[in-house]
């Protein structure tokens, strides 16, 4: 049974206001183990990390006019203008000897291959890398050092990345001597990590890991985390648990002038954990695990609450729709007509309508026949009228032509003389065609040729005889064919009209009977519709009842309340234990930070207080400010002072986990005068001796390095020279 579990049981008992909690210490230990919370303190035993040798080599591609290109032959005809970027893209400090005066306007550049090799054996304490000018390769040395330590190729310009072909860095990790060796092709590393043996013992090479490309970082992380005794850092960010490891730790070894937030380390989300790595108490890892477990449970509850809220809103919306559906069904029921149908009456009306329909059908057949008879009578009347008209026309024509006295022949236009016309009675021949005339017809005043058939002649004579008495015959004669036909038409139309009248009467009676039968049928339909609506109403009311029950139900807690209570109590207990252990130490650390910051030139800052949450409060000119409210130059001085003070006290109090390696890249970039830099280098030397640290400082102000550091502890390129 652990001390932590015992304290959690007591904490839970106090929360229950005197009532005994059901959990035992053994049960709490089991829950903590399941949550991944350590039940014992983790003693911080710092493991020193030191770089003992740095070597890298490769080939520079320089302009043939560069001083370092003297004695080397140019390759080919030169570099065309479209490839100028390959040469001109290196413009930062770590270009080494590569910036020698390239102008982007040059159309062709003569390139020279210049081999290089850099070897340095840094010492324990403060090591300086300086130059008389910027862009002389200082940062490249630090970048190679961190590349070999972290397995991550970062902060190199593309041309420098291509120039470096081989790297070897020797480290001492505790009592072990390790060598990280690899070949590089445009930043892609292929190599191995070997153990050379223990410090002071004979060399015995053992391969610890091999890598090829992207797995370099993973190999270094697995080797270094175990050897430096660093725990993984669990945190809860972005609604999920994350574990920070070697990349987060190794980034905290470097302080850069252009990366000043947060105050401790370089990972914004784990500033507190980084501070606890420097000076955390024995219970700091357990507190981090408890906080992560509790936040994970809070996230589960929050997600469940969001889902429950969404579900509740959906239920409310569905309930509203259900109420509207009930009201709509009730309105439909109210609109239905009332009454009970008379089925017998409906059948009688239906039968009568059927009988009348049959009678109408029979009469319609007779009407069709009668319409045909009417049409026939009308055609007969029309034919009779046509015959009478034709006979009359023939008579008129005959009369007209027989009485004609032509003056010329209608064929040859020969003149018909009066002598020839007067001779017709005597010569008995036609005055026009000279044909013999029928004397009998001539006596009747009809002129017709003797050669005309007798039947025709008789008809002409009879017609001429009757011509004078036509009017009397028409008035007094019997009814002719036309009158008979007209009488037949009138009789047929009268019969048809009678049939139409009868059909209309029967149709009206049929429609009335059908309407009465349909009215009774509508009542039957209404009864069926009412039954359907009543069922629909029952379903809608049942849906309302079900929705009421679902909305009234309590939301199920996805987190076991006992586990949640244990995690919360563990976080509270551990938070107090860590705070009790840290607060006195933080007061002493704050005093050292203020002293160092003032010596670095931040003399306007006073009453500096470092908080347990890795935050900082102070006075600036008598006005309260925080770390985020000061200038970048003041931030740089404070961040360096804080890192030094934390490492120093962590070692002094034997509670730090920092391996004692610190890299300061270009601290003078933030307007730090040479005197302040000298004070900083001197203070770093004192701290490094007290805490057995190894500190690297890269700066353009090389004078303090030359004056304060032993020759073995510095690499300085004076004037226009290059570091490598």
């Amino acid at each position: 049974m652990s001390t932590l579990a015992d304290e959690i049981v007591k904490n839970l008992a106090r929360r229950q206001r005197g009532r005994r909690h059901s959990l035992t210490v053994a049960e709490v230990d089991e829950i903590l183990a399941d949550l991944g919370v350590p039940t014992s303190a983790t003693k911080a035993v710092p493991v020193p990390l030191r770089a003992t040798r740095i070597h890298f080599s490769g080939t520079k591609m320089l302009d043939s006019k560069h001083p370092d290109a003297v004695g080397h032959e140019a390759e080919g005809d030169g570099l065309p203008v479209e490839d100028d970027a390959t040469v001109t893209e290196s413009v930062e400090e770590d270009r080494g000897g590569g910036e020698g005066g390239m102008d982007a306007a040059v159309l062709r550049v003569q390139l020279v291959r210049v081999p290089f090799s850099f070897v340095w054996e840094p010492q324990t304490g403060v090591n300086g890398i300086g130059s008389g000018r910027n862009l002389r390769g200082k940062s490249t040395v630090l970048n190679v050092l961190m590349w070999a330590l972290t397995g991550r190729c970062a902060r190199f310009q593309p041309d420098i990345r291509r120039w470096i072909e081989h790297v070897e860095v020797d480290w001492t990790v505790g009592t072990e001597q390790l060598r990280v060796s690899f070949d590089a092709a445009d930043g892609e590393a292929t190599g191995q990590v070997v153990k050379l043996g223990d410090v002071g013992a004979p060399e015995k090479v053992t391969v610890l890991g091999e890598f090829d490309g992207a797995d370099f970082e993973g190999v270094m992380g697995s080797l270094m985390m175990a050897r430096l005794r660093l725990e993984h850092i669990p945190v809860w960010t972005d609604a999920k648990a994350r574990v920070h490891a070697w990349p987060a730790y190794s980034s905290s070894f470097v302080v850069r002038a252009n990366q000043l937030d947060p105050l401790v380390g370089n990972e914004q989300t784990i500033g507190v954990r980084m501070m606890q790595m420097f000076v955390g108490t024995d219970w700091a890892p357990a507190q981090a695990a408890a906080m992560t477990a509790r936040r994970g449970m809070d996230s589960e509850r929050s997600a469940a609450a969001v889902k429950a809220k969404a579900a509740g809103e959906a239920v409310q919306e569905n309930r509203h729709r259900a109420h509207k559906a009930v009201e709509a069904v009730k309105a439909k029921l109210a609109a239905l007509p009332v009454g009970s149908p008379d089925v017998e009456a409906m059948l009688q009306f239906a039968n009568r309508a059927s009988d009348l329909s049959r009678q109408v059908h029979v009469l319609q057949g007779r009407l069709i026949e009668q319409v045909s008879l009417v049409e026939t009578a009308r055609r007969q009347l029309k034919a009779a009228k046509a015959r009478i008209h034709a006979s009359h026309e023939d008579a008129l024509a005959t009369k007209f032509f027989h009485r004609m006295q032509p003056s010329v022949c209608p064929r040859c236009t020969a003149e018909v003389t009066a002598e020839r016309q007067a001779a017709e009675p005597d010569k008995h021949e036609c005055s026009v065609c000279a044909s013999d005339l029928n004397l009998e017809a001539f006596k009747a005043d009809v002129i017709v040729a003797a050669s005309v058939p007798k039947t025709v002649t008789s008809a002409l004579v009879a017609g001429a005889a009757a011509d004078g008495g036509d009017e009397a015959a028409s008035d007094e004669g019997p009814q002719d064919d036309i009158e008979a036909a007209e009488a037949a038409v009138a009789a047929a139309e009268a019969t048809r009209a009678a049939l139409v009248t009868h059909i209309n009467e029967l149709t009206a009676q049929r429609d009335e009977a059908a309407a009465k039968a349909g009215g009774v049928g509508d009542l039957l339909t209404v009864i069926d519709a009412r039954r359907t609506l009543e069922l629909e109403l029952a379903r809608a009311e049942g849906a309302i009842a079900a929705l009421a029950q679902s909305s009234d139900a309590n939301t199920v807690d996805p987190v076991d309340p006992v586990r949640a209570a244990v995690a919360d109590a563990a976080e509270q207990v551990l938070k107090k234990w860590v705070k009790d252990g840290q607060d006195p130490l933080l007061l002493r650390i704050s005093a050292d930070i203020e002293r160092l910051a003032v010596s670095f030139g931040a003399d306007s800052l006073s009453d500096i207080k470092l908080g347990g949450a890795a935050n900082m409060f102070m006075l600036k000119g008598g006005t309260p400010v925080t770390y985020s409210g000061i200038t970048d130059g003041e931030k740089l001085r404070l961040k360096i002072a804080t890192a030094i003070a934390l490492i120093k006290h962590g070692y002094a109090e034997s509670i730090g986990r920092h391996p004692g390696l610190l890299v300061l890249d270009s601290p003078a970039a933030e307007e730090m005068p040479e005197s302040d830099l000298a004070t900083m280098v001197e203070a770093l030397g004192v701290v490094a001796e007290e805490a057995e640290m190894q500190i690297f400082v890269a700066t353009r102000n090389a004078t303090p390095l030359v004056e304060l550091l032993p020759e073995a502890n510095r690499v300085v390129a004076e004037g226009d020279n290059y570091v490598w």
Side-chain angles (χ1 to χ4, degrees):
M1 295 186 294
S2 67
T3 304
L4 176 59
D6 183 63
E7 188 62 28
I8 290 173
V9 170
K10 294 176 182 178
N11 183 281
L12 292 174
R14 287 193 296 271
R15 293 186 184 186
Q16 294 296 317
R17 297 184 180 181
R19 289 179 292 170
R20 181 178 178 81
H21 201 279
S22 60
L23 285 177
T24 65
V25 174
E27 290 172 334
V28 171
D29 271 332
E30 185 178 348
I31 293 174
L32 291 175
D34 188 52
L35 294 175
V37 178
T39 57
S40 59
T42 303
K43 185 65 178 177
V45 181
V47 178
L49 173 65
R50 306 288 182 264
T52 59
R53 177 175 171 270
I54 303 173
H55 167 60
F56 60 94
S57 60
T59 304
K60 300 178 184 179
M61 298 297 291
L62 302 180
D63 182 358
S64 60
K65 298 179 181 180
H66 194 281
D68 289 351
V70 176
H72 299 272
E73 295 184 1
E75 294 190 350
D77 296 330
L79 186 68
V81 65
E82 57 266 27
D83 291 334
D84 279 353
T86 307
V87 179
T88 60
E89 61 194 354
S90 177
V91 294
E92 70 156 19
E93 284 187 312
D94 60 352
R95 77 172 281 120
E99 73 269 35
M102 165 54 63
D103 190 310
V106 178
L107 294 180
R108 299 189 74 82
V109 176
Q110 292 291 332
L111 294 181
V112 175
R113 296 177 64 86
V114 181
F116 69 89
S117 179
F118 175 84
V119 180
W120 180 35
E121 295 182 357
Q123 306 298 307
T124 300
V126 180
N127 295 272
I129 307 170
S131 63
R133 293 180 54 188
N134 282 327
L135 305 178
R136 288 300 183 266
K138 300 180 300 297
S139 294
T140 298
V141 177
L142 298 183
N143 289 338
V144 169
L145 180 70
M146 296 307 296
W147 186 7
L149 179 63
T150 64
R152 180 180 297 181
C153 181
R155 298 186 174 275
F156 286 102
Q157 285 294 316
D159 54 350
I160 303 299
R161 186 192 298 259
R162 287 192 293 270
W163 291 354
I164 296 175
E165 299 170 355
H166 182 74
V167 173
E168 282 185 7
V169 178
D170 292 349
W171 301 91
T172 60
V173 186
T175 61
E176 292 183 295
Q177 297 183 81
L178 306 183
R179 172 171 292 170
V180 181
S181 175
F182 57 88
D183 294 324
D186 196 16
E188 290 292 325
T190 302
Q192 60 183 3
V193 181
V194 300
K195 178 179 177 180
L196 302 177
D198 292 332
V199 177
E203 184 172 303
K204 182 180 179 181
V205 177
T206 304
V207 177
L208 300 179
E210 296 182 341
F211 49 87
D212 184 3
D215 57 344
F216 188 10
E217 184 176 346
V219 169
M220 294 306 300
S222 62
L223 292 175
M224 289 299 179
M225 287 285 289
R227 283 168 171 75
L228 296 176
R229 301 176 185 174
L230 299 175
E231 299 92 353
H232 288 80
I233 305 173
V235 294
W236 190 268
T237 57
D238 301 329
K240 61 182 178 180
R242 296 182 59 190
V243 177
H244 291 274
W246 183 237
Y249 279 115
S250 57
S251 71
S252 69
F253 301 161
V254 183
V255 176
R256 302 183 188 276
N258 60 354
Q259 192 173 2
L260 300 175
D261 293 310
L263 172 63
V264 182
N266 292 312
E267 292 287 342
Q268 193 71 42
T269 59
I270 56 173
V272 175
R273 301 293 171 257
M274 286 294 99
M275 190 182 77
Q276 291 173 348
M277 182 199 73
F278 283 84
V279 294
T281 68
D282 297 344
W283 288 105
Q287 182 195 2
M291 181 179 294
T292 301
R294 191 265 305 165
R295 288 184 177 177
M297 294 178 183
D298 289 346
S299 178
E300 287 185 52
R301 282 176 167 164
S302 177
V306 170
K307 291 181 179 179
K309 181 180 178 182
E313 291 175 352
V315 168
Q316 290 295 330
E317 179 65 22
N318 290 336
R319 181 187 291 180
H320 178 67
R321 287 198 295 266
H323 278 292
K324 290 181 65 176
V326 167
E327 295 302 323
V329 173
K330 288 181 177 179
K332 291 178 181 179
L333 284 171
L336 293 177
V338 296
S340 300
D342 188 344
V343 178
E344 184 177 353
M346 181 192 69
L347 293 176
Q348 291 177 354
F349 287 130
N351 291 333
R352 176 167 175 75
S354 178
D355 292 341
L356 290 173
S357 294
R358 285 194 295 271
Q359 295 180 34
V360 168
H361 179 71
V362 172
L363 291 177
Q364 285 176 340
R366 292 175 56 188
L367 177 61
I368 292 172
E369 295 176 356
Q370 190 62 34
V371 168
S372 177
L373 292 175
V374 169
E375 291 299 324
T376 301
R378 286 177 176 174
R379 286 195 296 271
Q380 291 175 350
L381 174 61
K382 184 177 180 180
K385 287 182 177 181
R387 288 195 302 272
I388 296 299
H389 180 73
S391 299
H392 184 63
E393 289 293 331
D394 289 343
L396 290 177
T398 300
K399 182 178 180 180
F400 173 76
F401 284 111
H402 277 275
R403 293 179 180 179
M404 286 178 61
Q405 296 293 328
S407 60
V408 295
C409 178
R411 185 162 186 253
C412 64
T413 322
E415 182 180 2
V416 179
T417 63
E419 289 80 3
R420 291 184 64 180
Q421 292 176 352
E424 284 182 348
D426 299 328
K427 293 183 177 182
H428 304 293
E429 59 182 18
C430 177
S431 62
V432 178
C433 62
S435 297
D436 291 338
L437 297 176
N438 189 316
L439 296 179
E440 293 297 327
F442 188 76
K443 292 178 181 180
D445 200 17
V446 176
I447 299 174
V448 61
S451 59
V452 174
K454 290 182 179 182
T455 56
V456 175
T457 301
S458 299
L460 291 175
V461 172
D467 189 34
D470 282 342
E471 293 181 2
S474 62
D475 292 336
E476 298 175 1
Q479 184 179 20
D480 58 9
D481 292 342
I482 293 176
E483 292 176 345
E486 288 177 343
V489 169
E493 287 184 342
T495 302
R496 185 193 64 177
L499 285 172
V500 170
T501 300
H502 194 189
I503 288 172
N504 290 338
E505 291 175 352
L506 293 179
T507 300
Q509 295 175 13
R510 180 201 63 190
D511 293 343
E512 181 181 0
K516 291 179 178 180
V520 178
D522 290 342
L523 288 178
L524 290 174
T525 303
V526 168
I527 291 175
D528 186 61
R530 183 183 300 278
R531 184 180 299 107
T532 301
L533 290 174
E534 287 173 348
L535 291 174
E536 186 177 346
L537 178 61
R539 285 193 295 268
E541 290 176 340
I544 291 177
L547 290 170
Q549 293 176 0
S550 63
S551 64
D552 294 338
N554 294 326
T555 303
V556 177
D557 190 346
V559 176
D560 183 351
V562 175
R563 289 165 56 88
V566 170
D568 186 61
E571 183 181 1
Q572 298 304 318
V573 170
L574 292 168
K575 182 178 180 181
K576 182 179 184 304
W577 287 358
V578 170
K579 178 177 172 58
D580 291 344
Q582 271 189 347
D583 284 354
L585 182 59
L586 290 179
L587 291 176
R588 297 193 295 273
I589 292 173
S590 297
D592 272 1
I593 292 173
E594 183 172 343
R595 177 179 56 80
L596 289 170
V598 171
S599 68
F600 296 162
D603 49 10
S604 64
L605 304 178
S606 62
D607 198 20
I608 296 174
K609 297 291 187 296
L610 177 63
N615 48 10
M616 183 172 283
F617 306 91
M618 70 206 77
L619 296 178
K620 181 177 180 180
T623 302
V625 293
T626 62
Y627 178 77
S628 62
I630 58 178
T631 66
D632 285 347
E634 292 166 332
K635 282 184 177 181
L636 176 63
R637 290 163 172 81
L638 276 180
K639 186 161 185 171
I640 295 174
T642 300
I644 294 171
L646 288 171
I647 295 171
K648 171 188 172 183
H649 284 275
Y651 269 72
E653 303 289 339
S654 295
I655 60 173
R657 292 172 175 80
H658 198 288
L661 178 72
L662 186 62
V663 176
L664 308 180
D665 190 5
S666 303
E670 287 297 338
E671 301 178 358
M672 182 177 291
E674 190 172 292
S675 59
D676 289 349
L677 179 62
T679 302
M680 178 184 294
V681 172
E682 187 175 5
L684 291 174
V686 174
V687 173
E689 290 180 1
E690 295 176 353
E692 298 182 358
M693 296 177 61
Q694 186 179 45
I695 302 175
F696 290 87
V697 180
T699 176
R700 186 177 66 85
N701 296 333
T703 301
L705 303 182
V706 175
E707 293 177 351
L708 298 173
L709 299 180
E711 185 175 355
N713 290 62
R714 68 177 187 263
V715 176
V716 176
E718 298 180 352
D720 292 336
N721 292 329
Y722 297 92
V723 175
W724 51 276

